[in-house]
Amino acid sequence: MDKKFSVVIAGGGSTYTPEIILMLLDNLNRLPLRKIKLYDNDEERQNKVAKACEILIKEKDPSIEYVATTDPEEAYTDVDFCLAHIRVGKLKMRELDEKIPLKHGCVGQETCGPGGIAYGMRSIAGVLENIDYMEKYSPNCWMLNYSNPASIVAEATRILRPNSRIINICDMPIGMEHSIAKIAGIPSRKDMDIRYYGLNHFGWYTSIKDKQGNELLPKLVEHIKEYGFINGEEGMKTAKKDSWFETNLFTREIVKTDPTTIPSSYLKYYLFPDYVVSHSNKEYTRANEVIDGREKEVFSACAEIEKNGNSEGSPLQVGIHAEFIVDLATALAYNTHERMLLIVENKGAIENIPYDAMVEIPCIVGKDGYEPLSVGKIPTFQKGLIEQQLAVEKLVVEAWIEHSYQKLWQALTLSKTVPSATVAKELLDDLMEANKEYWPELK
């Protein structure tokens, strides 16, 4: 009998939980499951999706045991994989992460710049707490962590839980690769061999080859210079004109800073902060879009399933952003040696940046974990940017460990999204006040 696995989703009340469940159910042939658990410390929020998830599971495979709980022992006992996507402070705090920096004329974004720093200071304790539960109740479990901001969380776990079975991963490159495959006319991102390096939300593709080994990057760069990540004239006409459309379009400008690579769209916040701030609505940010859009849609779809007792006609669908989780779990379970982008300790993979940097690079994944692929030396432009951003991330984690006001001020001062130490200090005082129930007390 083939082994069946048990999974806990930490952050069970997330609006992404139903699509992760659908994706797990869609891939039972690759990753057979005997148990799916939801775990959240906010019972009321988790209950908005829990019943619907139970119905989805029953419809697909009633033999899978299902539990939704707020009890860490029940959640973490007898699990093989923890899929962690927690958001400490929820969307209420995300809104402040975005609006407080904008008030000071700085980029307001949930994972980049001051907002990302504030979020990182909240996330560290939550992720460590979940690692400790996992190690206590299921020491052989793997935690596949995609809680944001991933690079700050990864740096904290490197220092504070160096031996834990945690793999930090992000769905952003997956979304980019879907777009790239579409533009290149390739059926799936799995049909491409990519080379990429950087930090999380801060990286560059240096090679994109099809399965015949043809290098597609120069042609793709020409396309991006004209259309960004939009699929040509047709895409320009038919795409939904939302903030993601703007982000994908703006890659036209980012690619000009180094036309030998394809940049992560997040580099917009670091390289063009003035543009971002002048095109941001200080009163209505992405958090508001999510609260008024995605959150309402998902919770009402779940309420509908719960009311009807079945998922017929439900708008809920498998999320592409969730597919990498099954890829990673399958590679660990079955030693597939799949090549995946992970956030791992550099250890010389990128030769000319610090050994202990947490970098996002391709790795080969098997049952014992991952093996990073060598990148070699990187150009001065990228090296300079990475080292500056890396210093920010390291200072944030040091500030959290040491309860240091000084180090957090230094982190904000060093961020490319903040114009001066004066602004950094004003920002810090505002963010500290907003986060007093979440951050350690700084002195």
Side-chain angles (χ1 to χ4, degrees), residues 15-71:
T15 55
Y16 286 104
T17 297
E19 64 182 57
I20 287 166
I21 298 260
L22 284 169
M23 208 253 336
L24 290 169
L25 296 173
D26 216 36
N27 285 276
L28 291 171
N29 58 330
R30 292 168 63 204
L31 191 73
L33 298 178
R34 59 189 166 82
K35 199 179 284 187
I36 297 177
K37 307 187 199 188
L38 303 193
Y39 168 63
D40 205 302
N41 58 8
D42 180 341
E43 186 166 20
E44 189 191 347
R45 188 179 169 91
Q46 182 164 270
N47 283 343
K48 291 184 171 158
V49 300
K51 192 71 193 154
C53 290
E54 181 174 18
I55 290 164
L56 293 171
I57 292 165
K58 282 236 157 62
E59 288 179 341
K60 180 76 181 184
D61 184 349
S63 74
I64 296 173
E65 194 184 319
Y66 172 76
V67 179
T69 183
T70 54
D71 171 21

Side-chain angles (χ1 to χ4, degrees), residues 81-210:
F81 296 106
C82 167
L83 315 181
H85 60 164
I86 63 171
R87 182 186 285 281
V88 179
K90 298 187 270 284
L91 289 166
K92 173 173 77 85
M93 291 309 295
R94 173 178 177 175
E95 192 178 344
L96 295 175
D97 292 344
E98 294 169 352
K99 289 183 176 173
I100 291 170
L102 282 168
K103 196 179 87 181
H104 292 272
C106 295
V107 165
Q109 206 277 334
E110 65 158 338
T111 63
C112 302
I117 289 170
Y119 185 12
M121 288 287 287
R122 291 197 304 275
S123 292
I124 294 170
V127 172
L128 295 179
E129 180 184 71
N130 277 278
I131 290 175
D132 293 346
Y133 290 145
M134 175 179 92
E135 294 189 336
K136 183 175 178 184
Y137 299 117
S138 286
N140 294 321
C141 181
W142 282 104
M143 179 179 285
L144 316 185
N145 178 57
Y146 43 106
S147 307
N148 272 323
S151 45
I152 291 172
V153 167
E155 172 64 8
T157 58
R158 180 188 74 79
I159 294 173
L160 297 164
R161 297 292 182 276
N163 303 314
S164 64
R165 288 164 68 91
I166 178 171
I167 297 181
N168 294 289
I169 188 165
C170 175
D171 65 329
M172 181 60 201
I174 307 294
M176 283 178 62
E177 285 166 31
H178 273 289
S179 301
I180 290 169
K182 215 177 254 173
I183 292 164
I186 288 174
S188 152
R189 68 178 191 87
K190 299 268 182 97
D191 298 319
M192 308 189 300
D193 283 328
I194 64 109
R195 299 294 292 194
Y196 175 98
Y197 70 86
L199 308 173
N200 180 241
H201 290 182
F202 202 96
W204 293 264
Y205 288 93
T206 54
S207 170
I208 291 170
K209 290 182 174 166
D210 62 19

Side-chain angles (χ1 to χ4, degrees), residues 272-289:
F272 299 89
D274 48 352
Y275 172 89
V276 171
V277 172
S278 67
H279 288 75
S280 294
N281 180 344
K282 293 183 173 68
E283 312 304 320
Y284 194 85
T285 60
R286 278 283 302 158
N288 301 110
E289 279 184 32

